[in-house]
Amino acid sequence: MLCRAALSPLVRSPGWCFVLSPHAIAAISRLYLPYHTQRLRNESIRCWSNIPFITMPLSRAHGKSFAHRSELKHAKRIVVKLGSAVVTRGDECGLALGRLASIVEQVSVLQNQGREMMIVTSGAVAFGKQRLRHEILLSQSVRQALHSGQSQLKDMAIPVLEARACAAAGQSGLMALYEAMFTQYSICAAQILVTNLDFHDEQKRRNLNGTLHELLRMNIVPIINTNDAVVPPPEPNSDLQGVNVISVKDNDSLAARLAVEMKTDLLIVLSDVEGLFDSPPGSDDAKLIDIFYPGDQQSVTFGTKSRVGMGGMEAKVKAALWALQGGTSVVIANGTHPKISGHVITDIVDGKKVGTFFSEVKPAGPTVEQQAEMARTGGRTLAALQPEQRAEIICRLADLLTDQREEILLANKKDLEEAENKGRLALPLLKRLSLSTSKLNSLAIGLRQIAASSQDSVGRVIRRTRIAKDLELEQVSALAIASGNGLLLKGGKEAAYSNQILHHLTQEALSIHGVKDAVQLVNTREEVEDLCRLDKLIDLIIPRGSSQLVRDIQKAAKGIPVMGHSEGICHVYVDTDASVEKVTRIIRDSKCEYPAACNALETLLIHRDLLRTPLFDQIIDMLRVEQVKIHAGPKFASYLTFSPSEVKSLRTEYGDLECCIEVVDSVQEAVEHIHKYGSSHTDVIITENEKTAQFFLQHVDSACVFWNASTRFSDGYRFGLGAEVGISTSRIHARGPVGIEGLLTTKWLLRGDNHVVSDFSEHGSMKYLHESLPLPQRHTS
């Protein structure tokens, strides 16, 4: 088979030639011939147009469909079926040109990646209806003007147009439109019209097959449609009678038959709905089915078909299952939604969770949506437990971390060995992945801290107000195991073994009070972006990982709040009044104690007056002894004849034994530098001048601001919050290290006695008091 990169030289070289079959020559549109010569002269457009030219190793043995969405990126041969609702305007007369242009662009992108694209399209009837209506109106207007005068024009009626006539009138225009659009991307398209007989007649079927293969070999996009001008009615009781029999009664069944006939890897069916729902879309509690398996159709209630076109969702599902049986993967998705239609095809091929994916491989465990439902239900049960019961669960988990320490460390050792063998983690990340006895002991201590402080977390009365006589309002903390939240955990693949055993121990602890399902570990191939779409099931996302991971989640989670920080660019400012004994000790701990942590020092700010002093020399000597690589900020570099490498960006989180040194002229300039280049995580001043320190503490707008203390104190465990849930640099709700309190929300409880708002109107019998009441005595242990 000829690769795309070799096609153009092969065509023009006098020493090479290739033969076109008569079927292929007949299929190529006449529209191709006028610009044939010009196209050869401009063949370089293929490689240098705005559509990226990528050669991809796309090859696989056909015969079995893909089991998972993530495998769709390996699809080589793809059929895109465009339903009538996708290509037709809302008035059902004419084409939706914007959507069609977007689809052509996406198909062109995939074609230029080296894939073999085919389109099964509707639209000829709508296009023909528009043309015929125009001709009829023009004809009638002339006759009316000649015989009845202009006053009769508004009374003209347009007769009902026969669909076959509309198809005959619209087919050439539809193809001309496709040809013009694909020409913009230097891609040739060819038209093929078929009927049911073309598949049932063996000779015609072989001819069709040969034509399509020849077109694909020449890097031409076949555009296939049923010949609606002459198509006979479907044969009764012949539909879906096995792999080799399917009645081509609409473009859904045509696309399925074509996909199997051509041994296609993927069939994308675009319609006017998001995919397959468990009940008619728009009905109460209708849920989009992410993955559909053969045999599941009994649990689905189908609605009516779309406003245009021949087939409804039931026809699409039958065709999809038939294609799946023949070895072709299928996705049904929305091709009309303005926010997603511009990238729906490429998203599907990228393996993103779009529409309904048909798979023959049913997972052993629950889907991620089912896990989220289980976590939510379990969380509500957890919140209803007594505080002593929740504390008991947490203490049990702390005991298990100690008792099962050897098993945990063994699982973690497997993760470390795999990561080292594959070489996929840098040394700082390997350190973060590594567990130790001391880490587990610290975690157990933190859990017991949470258990001790969580007795009054959920249900604690925060405010009491007497609204009026016998009408009292309470604001209580609600919701997180200590605060009553269900958890859906998605760990990194590099920590798979560690995650599994820790999750097992967590569920074992939860089981003592029957709330095992409250914490779920996602083991499926769901991407983070897919989880961020579960806005109806997830209330809050807490990302823990690299700054890139956090940024990706913040970008993807458009409907879910994200509590986290994208970067940990922490500063230490050394003032002129800094203590010599404190400076090197605090800087060493901030940078070298655990350089991979997000609260490690990244930029060291030095007052200008300290340059070329013994204190400055001590700082540099200490960093060199600790093997810290130094990068010079622009101002610092200007003071040195032989400077370290100048920093590329002052907004860098190194996460290793590296840091930037920059010079400032005052504490005010240090504050300005932190605000401009920092990430609002943790920033420190080292000084003995209390006035300077207070200025720094008051003016630096970060989650954690310290005086004469290491940045590494920015941690939930060290703050006494127990095992830290995360770090937040947002300016609302929780900020800084987040423990139980940061996960709590509130709810209002109002207790009345036949109270109604109308009694408090201007002429009512009651008046608002709004008296603050004392809070109940908190439980202490």
Side-chain angles (χ1 to χ4, degrees):
M1 180 177 179
L2 301 179
C3 72
R4 178 174 173 77
L7 178 59
S8 293
L10 188 63
V11 171
R12 70 168 185 259
S13 173
W16 291 81
C17 68
F18 60 94
V19 179
L20 306 183
S21 73
H23 306 299
I25 295 174
I28 298 176
S29 170
R30 289 189 177 90
L31 291 171
Y32 173 62
L33 300 177
Y35 65 84
H36 173 72
T37 305
Q38 180 65 30
R39 185 167 177 268
L40 292 180
R41 285 200 301 266
N42 296 335
E43 51 83 23
S44 60
I45 296 175
R46 285 187 179 278
C47 300
W48 307 109
S49 67
N50 60 335
I51 297 298
F53 181 89
I54 304 172
T55 302
M56 302 180 65
L58 300 167
S59 62
R60 75 181 190 100
H62 187 80
K64 192 172 183 180
S65 61
F66 293 118
H68 305 283
R69 281 185 185 269
S70 59
E71 298 172 343
L72 295 180
K73 59 174 65 86
H74 301 300
K76 165 73 173 177
R77 184 171 291 173
I78 302 171
V79 171
V80 178
K81 184 267 176 179
L82 308 178
S84 298
V86 175
V87 299
T88 304
R89 289 193 330 219
D91 60 3
E92 303 176 21
C93 184
L95 302 180
L97 297 179
R99 286 200 295 267
L100 206 57
S102 176
I103 289 167
V104 168
E105 181 175 14
Q106 293 174 77
V107 170
S108 299
V109 168
L110 297 174
Q111 181 82 0
N112 283 333
Q113 288 178 350
R115 306 180 198 267
E116 297 174 345
M117 304 299 296
M118 292 180 279
I119 294 178
V120 175
T121 183
S122 302
V125 174
F127 204 163
K129 184 186 292 185
Q130 183 186 38
R131 294 181 65 181
L132 293 180
R133 280 188 175 183
H134 177 78
E135 292 297 326
I136 292 171
L137 282 173
L138 181 62
S139 175
Q140 287 184 347
S141 63
V142 172
R143 290 197 300 270
Q144 292 282 4
L146 291 174
H147 299 97
S148 304
Q150 292 293 332
S151 61
Q152 300 290 330
L153 285 176
K154 61 182 180 180
D155 299 326
M156 290 189 303
I158 300 176
V160 177
L161 300 175
E162 208 277 336
R164 288 193 178 91
C166 292
Q171 190 64 50
S172 60
L174 176 65
M175 190 59 206
L177 186 60
Y178 273 118
E179 190 70 35
M181 288 181 173
F182 274 112
T183 300
Q184 301 303 310
Y185 305 100
S186 299
I187 292 175
C188 180
Q191 179 187 36
I192 297 178
L193 297 177
V194 298
T195 67
N196 201 25
L197 297 176
D198 295 317
F199 290 97
H200 290 292
D201 184 284
E202 185 63 23
Q203 183 60 47
K204 290 183 177 180
R205 189 179 64 81
R206 284 201 301 266
N207 291 346
L208 174 62
N209 190 295
T211 298
L212 290 171
H213 277 93
E214 188 76 1
L215 292 173
L216 294 176
R217 186 176 74 86
M218 293 186 296
N219 202 47
I220 294 172
V221 175
I223 298 178
I224 305 102
N225 195 359
T226 52
N227 192 349
D228 293 325
V230 300
V231 65
E235 299 177 15
N237 303 319
S238 66
D239 198 19
L240 303 169
Q241 299 296 317
V243 175
N244 295 319
V245 179
I246 183 171
S247 175
V248 179
K249 62 181 182 180
D250 54 42
N251 277 344
D252 295 317
S253 53
L254 168 61
R257 179 64 191 258
L258 183 72
V260 174
E261 182 74 26
M262 293 297 295
K263 296 181 172 57
T264 300
D265 300 319
L266 174 61
L267 168 61
I268 299 175
V269 180
L270 296 184
S271 182
D272 57 352
V273 292
E274 279 70 23
L276 179 61
F277 288 77
D278 56 1
S279 56
S283 61
D284 293 339
D285 301 322
K287 294 180 181 178
L288 179 66
I289 299 173
D290 172 38
I291 306 178
F292 192 79
Y293 307 98
D296 285 355
Q297 55 265 44
Q298 288 79 11
S299 61
V300 176
T301 302
F302 294 102
T304 58
K305 72 182 188 70
S306 65
R307 58 180 172 82
V308 291
M310 295 290 294
M313 184 55 71
E314 186 171 10
K316 289 175 175 57
V317 171
K318 286 183 178 180
L321 290 174
W322 190 88
L324 189 68
Q325 182 185 4
T328 297
S329 295
V330 183
V331 175
I332 296 177
N334 192 333
T336 64
H337 196 291
K339 291 185 178 181
I340 63 174
S341 59
H343 46 81
V344 60
I345 299 174
T346 50
D347 278 355
I348 290 171
V349 177
D350 285 341
K352 295 181 180 178
K353 186 176 282 189
V354 179
T356 300
F357 172 62
F358 286 71
S359 175
E360 292 187 300
V361 181
K362 202 161 189 174
T367 65
V368 67
E369 289 84 0
Q370 291 170 332
Q371 284 188 293
E373 289 275 13
M374 293 162 65
R376 169 155 293 209
T377 301
R380 287 168 178 162
T381 306
L382 182 64
L385 295 178
Q386 295 299 315
E388 297 80 9
Q389 294 174 305
R390 288 193 297 272
E392 187 179 354
I393 292 172
I394 299 169
C395 287
R396 175 59 179 157
L397 179 56
D399 292 339
L400 287 170
L401 290 178
T402 303
D403 297 342
Q404 306 292 326
R405 177 172 53 246
E406 296 303 322
E407 289 83 353
I408 296 171
L409 294 179
L410 182 61
N412 183 246
K413 183 180 178 182
K414 290 182 180 179
D415 287 325
L416 289 170
E417 288 175 350
E418 285 197 5
E420 289 174 350
N421 291 337
K422 295 179 180 179
R424 63 189 186 193
L425 288 182
L427 183 59
L429 294 179
L430 280 174
K431 292 179 180 178
R432 296 189 71 169
L433 175 61
S434 175
L435 290 177
S436 64
T437 299
S438 61
K439 283 185 179 181
L440 292 176
N441 289 339
S442 297
L443 181 56
I445 293 172
L447 288 172
R448 292 190 177 96
Q449 286 179 351
I450 290 177
S453 63
S454 68
Q455 297 290 322
D456 295 318
S457 58
V458 177
R460 174 167 54 89
V461 178
I462 298 173
R463 178 184 302 172
R464 292 180 66 215
T465 304
R466 180 178 287 116
I467 301 296
K469 183 181 178 182
D470 297 327
L471 184 64
E472 292 189 2
L473 178 68
E474 286 184 348
Q475 185 184 19
V476 300
S477 57
L479 292 180
I481 295 165
S483 56
N485 282 316
L487 300 176
L488 188 66
L489 307 173
K490 177 70 166 73
K493 58 181 178 292
E494 66 278 354
Y497 295 111
S498 304
N499 291 335
Q500 287 172 6
I501 189 168
L502 291 173
H503 176 246
H504 172 74
L505 296 178
T506 301
Q507 289 201 316
E508 183 177 335
L510 290 165
S511 296
I512 65 177
H513 288 296
V515 286
K516 175 182 177 182
D517 290 341
V519 177
Q520 298 286 325
L521 177 66
V522 178
N523 288 315
T524 59
R525 300 191 181 193
E526 251 67 27
E527 299 292 336
V528 169
E529 185 174 342
D530 296 329
L531 296 175
C532 291
R533 297 171 188 258
L534 303 178
D535 56 300
K536 294 183 179 179
L537 295 172
I538 297 175
D539 300 311
L540 176 68
I541 299 176
I542 306 174
R544 300 303 305 265
S546 67
S547 58
Q548 186 60 51
L549 170 70
V550 178
R551 282 194 295 268
D552 290 344
I553 290 176
Q554 289 173 333
K555 181 179 179 181
K558 297 178 180 179
I560 309 174
V562 178
M563 185 174 69
H565 66 285
S566 59
E567 293 172 307
I569 304 176
C570 303
H571 297 77
V572 172
Y573 165 58
V574 183
D575 187 54
T576 51
D577 297 320
S579 164
V580 175
E581 292 76 17
K582 296 175 184 177
V583 168
T584 54
R585 177 178 167 84
I586 292 175
I587 294 175
R588 179 188 290 109
D589 190 80
S590 297
K591 178 71 262 185
C592 307
E593 198 269 340
Y594 190 9
C598 62
N599 57 8
L601 162 68
E602 303 295 1
T603 298
L604 179 62
L605 300 176
I606 305 288
H607 195 286
R608 178 171 52 87
D609 293 346
L610 294 177
L611 293 177
R612 301 184 180 91
T613 66
L615 175 58
F616 178 77
D617 292 339
Q618 288 182 27
I619 295 172
I620 299 299
D621 289 342
M622 181 274 295
L623 293 174
R624 286 174 176 166
V625 169
E626 296 293 339
Q627 298 182 337
V628 177
K629 182 179 180 180
I630 298 174
H631 302 276
K635 288 188 177 180
F636 180 45
S638 68
Y639 284 97
L640 304 175
T641 305
F642 299 100
S643 66
S645 60
E646 186 168 342
V647 70
K648 295 180 180 179
S649 171
L650 291 169
R651 290 191 180 95
T652 301
E653 181 180 15
Y654 298 99
D656 203 350
L657 286 173
E658 297 182 59
C659 76
C660 170
I661 297 180
E662 182 58 310
V663 174
V664 293
D665 291 338
S666 64
V667 65
Q668 292 94 333
E669 188 175 331
V671 171
E672 292 170 2
H673 179 103
I674 290 170
H675 288 166
K676 184 175 183 178
Y677 300 108
S679 61
S680 301
H681 192 294
T682 301
D683 298 291
V684 171
I685 183 173
I686 305 177
T687 185
E688 297 302 302
N689 188 314
E690 183 175 356
K691 183 178 180 181
T692 302
Q694 289 298 334
F695 179 90
F696 187 89
L697 295 175
Q698 292 173 4
H699 287 81
V700 172
D701 184 21
S702 296
C704 298
V705 188
F706 300 162
W707 174 19
N708 288 347
S710 167
T711 61
R712 295 279 290 122
F713 278 105
S714 178
D715 178 82
Y717 169 70
R718 299 183 179 102
F719 278 13
L721 304 178
E724 176 185 288
V725 176
I727 294 276
S728 174
T729 55
S730 67
R731 287 172 171 78
I732 58 174
H733 191 52
R735 199 169 190 217
V738 179
I740 295 176
E741 296 292 332
L743 294 179
L744 294 175
T745 58
T746 64
K747 64 180 179 181
W748 299 89
L749 306 177
L750 185 63
R751 297 180 175 90
D753 183 17
N754 198 30
H755 288 81
V756 294
V757 170
S758 59
D759 287 342
F760 293 83
S761 63
E762 183 178 354
H763 302 291
S765 59
M766 301 194 72
K767 301 295 182 184
Y768 289 112
L769 299 177
H770 293 145
E771 297 175 358
S772 296
L773 299 175
L775 299 180
Q777 193 68 28
R778 292 189 62 179
H779 171 77
T780 57
S781 59

